[in-house]
Amino acid sequence: MIRFENVSKSYPDSQGGLREVTFRMEPGEMAFLTGHSGAGKSTLLKLIGLLERANRGQVWVNGHNLGRLTPREVPLFRRQVGMIFQDHRLLEDRTVFDNVALPLVVTGQRHQEIRRRVQAALDKVGLLNKARALPVTLSGGEQQRVGIARAVVSRPPVLLADEPTGNLDPELSLEIMELFNQFNQVGVTLLIATHDLALVEHLSRRVLTLREGRLVDDRTP
Amino acid sequence: MNRRTRKQRLRQPMDPRGWLVRNLQVLLSSLGRLWQRPLGSLMSILVIAIAMALPTGLYVVVDNLQQLSQSWEGAASATLFLVQDATDGDVQSLLVRLKKDPAIGKLQHLDPAQALAEFQQYSGLGEAVAQLQENPLPHVVLVQTADPHISPGDFSKLLDRIRSYPQVEPATADLQWMRRFQAIIHLLQRGAWLLSLLLAMAVVLVIGNTIRLEIQHRQQEIRIIKLVGGSNTFIRRPFLYEGFWYGLLGSTAALLLVALSWLLLREPVNRLSQLYGSGFSLEGMAPFNVLLVVGLGCLLGVAGAWIAVHQQLEQIEPA
């Protein structure tokens, strides 16, 4: 589902790049990506979500060689990858419902279909009663769950999460992880970047470790 | 992976009805967006309106002047002075020849004795005139063309023909004035075109700048839409429609400005025209031209928005 072949990415300020990273993830696999800040976790996720392009090497996601996609194909590809961020990246002036509906709106889904699927996604994250609320009126954990609902509403085969529990207390973090487990059980491929090692230990999944842009460890319990 | 997957292409499914519905939705929501910040929108619309009203108004003026020149009664007539030594027989034969000319409508002959009597009576120089040994006034013939809308070219030909008669002094006609008037109209027409061109550019720039600010204001939103896979077409659409609305509302306001000026000017122009004994009245705009102005406004609006979006969209990428 995801394959990196000698992928390198460097930035002008030489922080957070990747060096010769090679790994693969099978469809339906769930893995954690750990490492210190600046080790390249976010960069690796951005390469998968095509928010960045590699300088060298090849990235394959869901059968697409990302280096070969034309500009016109980029948005269509991004629809196959759900992304969750630590800072949520929600539209502050839109309701929870509208935020979650966005990935369906951009694909031109019918109104009834949008409502049905947004409600299902909000139900899944336990926010059905907040559909009409604005994001600012929600707690951090709730906003994170809005972000998750938005990432899964179009049922992408790949889900990426960048420090999804960064600002949450352990209990809420476990709740979020439980949600990810459920998505994984229905066949979604998940890659979660986190530095919360306790949480990683607790869930006993495959762990990829980055250090200064290199993949230094790849353990499967 | 293998060659087969490499050829896999990403395509958006076709859905004409859904496309139409989405466009209608965006059409309305972009109007709503203008409504959300009424002051800024109004100012932009007024700037566009003024920029478009100037050439439109000038066009109406030129159009009216052209009508005026076409129905200019004075231009379709000429005053012929006959040579001083023309005898009554010469005058009669000339009148007969002129009457036969199909291009000539009415003729009026002023006898020198008659003219002198009138002059004596009205000029206040009666005594001085009475001292004259000979009547210094020539025979005068007033010629009116059969076709009141005669073209300057045909009129000029007619005058050349009349001038060639030996009894006629080289005629000094009103043609010169008519030519000058035509030249002024041509100049104004050219000016209107030039002004239109410049102000069309101004409209594009105003709308482009308005949309550019709007895009900057909504950068974060555009990033997020790109993040969840919104295509450039999807992102571009509301801005293009916004440009369309600016063009439509701006050109409509421009027409209202022109109509208002027309209403204010019509009465005084008609009075002036009556004082000159002319049947001329101020004409409005033809329906086709009204549509043309509105259509051009919409086109300029979309063009301005397109330029702004095209410049900026590539630079705003999610990170």
Side-chain angles (χ1 to χ4, degrees), chain A residues 130-189:
Chain A
K130 302 272 180 155
R132 297 275 145 235
L134 287 175
V136 281
T137 65
L138 304 181
S139 71
E142 285 171 329
Q143 288 191 34
Q144 189 56 277
R145 281 186 281 156
V146 174
I148 293 169
R150 184 183 67 190
V152 299
V153 73
S154 57
R155 301 196 197 114
V158 178
L159 206 53
L160 308 173
D162 194 359
E163 302 283 358
T165 61
N167 297 325
L168 305 180
D169 59 50
E171 202 175 325
L172 281 172
S173 300
L174 264 178
E175 267 178 41
I176 301 273
M177 286 303 159
E178 183 48 39
L179 269 175
F180 288 156
N181 259 328
Q182 288 171 21
F183 296 135
N184 183 234
Q185 274 159 22
V186 295
V188 177
T189 307

Side-chain angles (χ1 to χ4, degrees), chain B residues 62 65 179-190:
Chain B
V62 169
L65 286 178
R179 282 206 175 122
R180 283 183 192 142
F181 191 68
Q182 289 279 350
I184 289 170
I185 288 176
H186 278 301
L187 185 69
L188 283 175
Q189 259 172 339
R190 190 62 61 86

Side-chain angles (χ1 to χ4, degrees), chain B residues 52 287-297:
Chain B
M52 288 192 74
F288 174 78
N289 289 334
V290 170
L291 285 179
L292 192 71
V293 169
V294 173
L296 274 176

Side-chain angles (χ1 to χ4, degrees), chain B residues 248-312:
Chain B
L248 181 71
L249 296 172
S251 55
T252 308
L255 287 171
L256 288 176
L257 285 178
V258 171
L260 191 71
S261 318
W262 182 78
L263 282 175
L264 289 173
L265 288 177
R266 190 177 50 164
E267 199 48 45
V269 166
N270 285 353
R271 207 176 314 137
L272 187 70
S273 147
Q274 265 169 13
L275 286 176
Y276 272 95
S278 158
F280 172 78
S281 74
L282 198 58
E283 295 279 330
M285 286 177 77
F288 174 78
N289 289 334
V290 170
L291 285 179
L292 192 71
V293 169
V294 173
L296 274 176
C298 296
L299 207 68
L300 292 176
V302 174
W306 181 274
I307 291 169
V309 174
H310 191 73
Q311 272 182 340
Q312 300 219 280

Side-chain angles (χ1 to χ4, degrees), chain B residues 123-143:
Chain B
S123 66
L125 298 170
E127 302 246 330
V129 173
Q131 300 292 315
L132 293 172
Q133 303 282 315
E134 268 174 49
N135 186 348
L137 297 177
H139 285 273
V140 173
V141 179
L142 294 176
V143 175

